[in-house]
Amino acid sequence: MGTEGSTVLEPLWRGLPHLDHSTVSGSATCALPPRFDAVKGARDFTRETLQRWRLDGEFDTVALVVSELVTNALRHGLPSLNTSPDLTSPVRLDLMRWAARLVCAVRDPSGAPPETTNNCTEYVDFTAESGRGLCLVESFSDGWGWHPLTGMMRGKVVWALFRLTPA
């Protein structure tokens, strides 16, 4: 993700203990096509990355959150799944790892904030076909948020933070 990752995730660092960027253990990014089968590609990319980082035990939880974030980006962050040719990879998945943290960030071209249709602290209808994705993200991650992008990068990034247990 390089220096771009630092810019994209800058609001995430507010309120957290200072993380020296030199302590980043790994970062990876994946461009996703504007098709729903990209969710499987995002999970495969996440599996390969976590295996490379020897974080196989984190896969189920992280993959669930990645699936929800990518699905939301495809469903709500694109004008339509028949996007214009200039949006060849309008959605990107970024993974960053530190010794004790993992961040998954999904970027899309829409500046509209993510919306939850349920209050996640109250009853959630898990039989519904939609509307519970961000509640799952909230339940399975140690924190999540979003912020609009500015400048050359338009749209937004929605991120989820995971605390890693020492091996």
Side-chain angles (χ1 to χ4, degrees), residues 41-53:
R43 281 193 305 270
D44 292 344
F45 172 78
T46 300
R47 179 185 306 279
E48 293 164 9
T49 302
L50 294 182
Q51 285 174 339
R52 190 171 57 251
W53 292 343

Side-chain angles (χ1 to χ4, degrees), residues 30-39 41 70 74 78 81 83 87-91:
C30 175
L32 301 168
R35 301 185 312 264
F36 283 118
D37 63 350
V39 177
V70 171
L74 294 170
L78 300 178
L81 286 184
T83 58
L87 288 177
T88 54
S89 57
V91 175

Side-chain angles (χ1 to χ4, degrees), residues 70-158:
V70 171
T71 298
N72 283 351
L74 294 170
R75 182 172 287 151
H76 305 292
L78 300 178
S80 76
L81 286 184
N82 299 319
T83 58
S84 62
D86 60 325
L87 288 177
T88 54
S89 57
V91 175
R92 296 187 69 84
L93 167 62
D94 298 298
L95 302 173
M96 292 183 74
R97 177 188 180 216
W98 288 262
R101 290 191 184 105
L102 173 70
V103 173
C104 305
V106 176
R107 294 181 271 168
D108 69 57
S110 170
E115 295 181 26
T116 57
T117 57
N118 295 298
N119 180 343
C120 297
T121 59
E122 295 177 3
Y123 174 76
V124 176
D125 182 2
F126 284 100
T127 61
E129 290 189 28
S130 65
R132 64 181 184 274
L134 290 175
C135 290
L136 290 172
V137 170
E138 183 174 312
S139 295
F140 285 91
S141 68
D142 292 300
W144 76 276
W146 79 280
H147 65 93
L149 299 174
T150 58
M152 295 293 292
M153 295 172 48
R154 297 214 171 140
K156 70 175 170 298
V157 62
V158 182

